[in-house]
Amino acid sequence: DIQGAAERDRSLELARTRIAGLSPREREVLERLMAGGTNRTIAKDLGLSPRTIELHRSNLMERLGVRTVGEAVSVATTAGLRPRQNGG
């Protein structure tokens, strides 16, 4: 129905706006979280410390307005973001 389509359009636009507000590094961390990466594996892939990844993860979740990684993945998926595998 029209109301449902309008709701989906609003959700899509909100998700895209939130993703656009991330720094390139935060987006990179999010893409790796979507692929199932842990702070430790993401840190190793990016040549950073796990603590640095924790900070990026915390910042990106705050910017997305979410509390869990699952919610962050949901926003990212709605926005059309795809998981990034190791080195990809």
Side-chain angles (χ1 to χ4, degrees), residues 42-58:
I42 295 168
K44 185 178 175 198
D45 290 345
L46 300 180
L48 301 170
S49 75
R51 179 66 183 135
T52 300
I53 299 304
E54 286 176 24
L55 291 171
H56 287 307
R57 182 173 165 166
S58 174

Side-chain angles (χ1 to χ4, degrees), residues 40-84:
R40 183 173 289 175
T41 60
I42 295 168
K44 185 178 175 198
D45 290 345
L46 300 180
L48 301 170
S49 75
R51 179 66 183 135
T52 300
I53 299 304
E54 286 176 24
L55 291 171
H56 287 307
R57 182 173 165 166
S58 174
N59 290 340
L60 76 85
M61 290 176 65
E62 186 173 326
R63 287 185 191 213
L64 294 179
V66 299
R67 291 182 171 195
T68 67
V69 172
E71 290 174 335
V73 168
S74 179
V75 170
T77 302
T78 299
L81 206 61
R82 296 288 166 248
R84 179 183 294 199

Side-chain angles (χ1 to χ4, degrees), residues 4-58:
E7 179 77 23
R8 283 188 298 277
D9 287 348
R10 280 192 297 277
S11 294
L12 175 62
E13 191 57 40
L14 179 60
R16 286 183 174 164
T17 299
R18 288 177 175 178
I19 294 295
L22 298 178
S23 72
R25 181 63 85 190
E26 289 165 349
R27 185 175 169 143
E28 194 171 27
V29 169
L30 177 57
E31 290 169 349
R32 284 178 162 80
L33 287 171
M34 292 173 72
T38 64
N39 289 349
R40 183 173 289 175
T41 60
I42 295 168
K44 185 178 175 198
D45 290 345
L46 300 180
L48 301 170
S49 75
R51 179 66 183 135
T52 300
I53 299 304
E54 286 176 24
L55 291 171
H56 287 307
R57 182 173 165 166
S58 174

